[in-house]
C-alpha cells in the first residue's frame, strides 16, 4: 500500500466549515479508496486540516483520480477557503505496514523526523528491534516514510487520551533503557504537532 497525506492551510476560522463540507461526501468518496485519517491542527500551525488516503499503488491512485474527475460532488466545495495545499506520498516500514484505525485517542501526535540521506534503513531497523517494548506503553497508530514531496521524512503517529496522558507516557518511556532506539545520530531535525480527528475519521 501507499498513502497520500494532503494538508490544507485554510482561512482563519474556517476549519469547521471545511470539515462539514467534507462530511457530506465522505461516505460516497470512500467507495473509491479508503481515507484512514482526517484531522485538524490543535498545536502547531493552526487553521490546517489533513487527510490520509490509502491506495494499492500509484496506478490505483491515478485510476481513482480519473474516476472522480467527472463527479459533480468531488472535491467538496471548499476552494473558497483554501489558502494553500501540500501533498506527500508515503510508504510504510515492515514493522507497521498499515495504520491502526478505530477509537485510539482524542489527540494524535505527529512526530516528523528528517533523516540524513541514506540512513532511513538504519533508523527503521533500530525501531523494528524496540517497537514492541515501546508499544507496551502506548500504541503506535501509524508510521510513514516519505516517497514523494519532502524526502527523508520519518513520520510516526501516537494517539493519546489527552495531553496529561501524553506526559504520563513520556515519563514511562524515559525510564526505558532502549528508547529512543539509538536513532538520534541519524536525525537532522525534528518536528511535533498535535492533531484532532474529525468524527468521520477512521483513526479517531
Amino acid at each position: 500500500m501507499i498513502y497520500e497525506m494532503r494538508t490544507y492551510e485554510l482561512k482563519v476560522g474556517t476549519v469547521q466549515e471545511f470539515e462539514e463540507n467534507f462530511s457530506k461526501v465522505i461516505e460516497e468518496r470512500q467507495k473509491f479508496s479508503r481515507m484512514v485519517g482526517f484531522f485538524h491542527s490543535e498545536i502547531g500551525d493552526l487553521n490546517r486540516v489533513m487527510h490520509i488516503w490509502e491506495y494499492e499503488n500509484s496506478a490505483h491512485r491515478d485510476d481513482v483520480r480519473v474516476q472522480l474527475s467527472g463527479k459533480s460532488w468531488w472535491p467538496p466545495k471548499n476552494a473558497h477557503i483554501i489558502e494553500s495545499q501540500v501533498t506527500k506520498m508515503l510508504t510504510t516500514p515492515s514493522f507497521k505496514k498499515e495504520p491502526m484505525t478505530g477509537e485510539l485517542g482524542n489527540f494524535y501526535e505527529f512526530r516528523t523526523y528528517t533523516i540524513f540521506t541514506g540512513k532511513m534503513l538504519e533508523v527503521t531497523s533500530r525501531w523494528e528491534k524496540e517497537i514492541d517494548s515501546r508499544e507496551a506503553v502506548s500504541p503506535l497508530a501509524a508510521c510513514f516514510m516519505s516517497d514523494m514531496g519532502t524526502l527523508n521524512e520519518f513520520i510516526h503517529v501516537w494517539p493519546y487520551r489527552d495531553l496529561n496522558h501524553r506526559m504520563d507516557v513520556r515519563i514511562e518511556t524515559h525510564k526505558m533503557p532502549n528508547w529512543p532506539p539509538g536513532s538520534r545520530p541519524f536525525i537532522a531535525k525534528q518536528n511535533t504537532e498535535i492533531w484532532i480527528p474529525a468524527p468521520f475519521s477512521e483513526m479517531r
Side-chain angles (χ1 to χ4, degrees):
M1 294 292 184
I2 62 172
Y3 295 86
E4 179 177 12
M5 179 184 288
R6 296 183 69 91
T7 304
Y8 296 81
E9 182 178 346
L10 306 179
K11 293 181 179 178
V12 173
T14 62
V15 167
Q16 183 176 353
E17 178 182 353
F18 189 99
E19 289 193 355
E20 288 177 351
N21 288 337
F22 218 99
S23 69
K24 297 173 184 177
V25 301
I26 185 57
E27 183 175 354
E28 190 66 25
R29 174 61 179 81
Q30 291 275 44
K31 296 176 182 179
F32 294 83
S33 66
R34 187 165 75 124
M35 183 189 71
V36 297
F38 190 111
F39 306 87
H40 65 261
S41 58
E42 179 70 12
I43 297 177
D45 291 334
L46 301 179
N47 300 296
R48 291 181 299 154
V49 296
M50 172 176 59
H51 35 98
I52 303 171
W53 298 94
E54 181 181 77
Y55 299 99
E56 295 175 9
N57 48 45
S58 58
H60 179 214
R61 176 179 179 268
D62 291 343
D63 182 57
V64 168
R65 289 173 66 84
V66 169
Q67 292 182 61
L68 289 171
S69 64
K71 306 298 183 184
S72 61
W73 47 266
W74 189 262
K77 309 304 181 184
N78 283 319
H80 63 292
I81 58 176
I82 296 173
E83 298 283 8
S84 64
Q85 47 190 319
V86 175
T87 191
K88 298 177 182 179
M89 299 305 299
L90 309 169
T91 59
T92 56
S94 59
F95 60 82
K96 182 66 71 170
K97 291 187 176 180
E98 61 181 83
M100 298 173 63
T101 56
E103 296 183 3
L104 304 175
N106 301 311
F107 289 75
Y108 281 73
E109 181 177 13
F110 280 70
R111 296 181 69 89
T112 301
Y113 295 172
T114 301
I115 306 301
F116 288 118
T117 300
K119 297 299 182 180
M120 186 66 74
L121 182 59
E122 183 71 33
V123 170
T124 57
S125 64
R126 289 172 183 247
W127 272 63
E128 187 166 16
K129 294 175 183 177
E130 304 296 338
I131 192 60
D132 287 346
S133 59
R134 171 60 182 82
E135 286 202 273
V137 181
S138 73
L140 174 65
C143 192
F144 303 107
M145 301 169 294
S146 59
D147 189 61
M148 293 180 64
T150 305
L151 298 180
N152 300 309
E153 287 190 342
F154 180 69
I155 304 168
H156 40 116
V157 184
W158 303 92
Y160 300 104
R161 293 189 301 272
D162 51 36
L163 293 180
N164 288 327
H165 179 217
R166 176 183 180 272
M167 183 57 65
D168 291 341
V169 168
R170 289 183 65 80
I171 290 172
E172 288 301 310
T173 59
H174 287 164
K175 300 174 184 178
M176 297 172 59
N178 297 317
W179 195 265
S183 53
R184 283 176 175 165
F186 311 107
I187 299 172
K189 62 180 180 180
Q190 300 171 295
N191 173 267
T192 189
E193 298 173 335
I194 299 295
W195 294 76
I196 306 296
F200 50 83
S201 175
E202 289 197 14
M203 299 172 68
R204 61 188 186 278

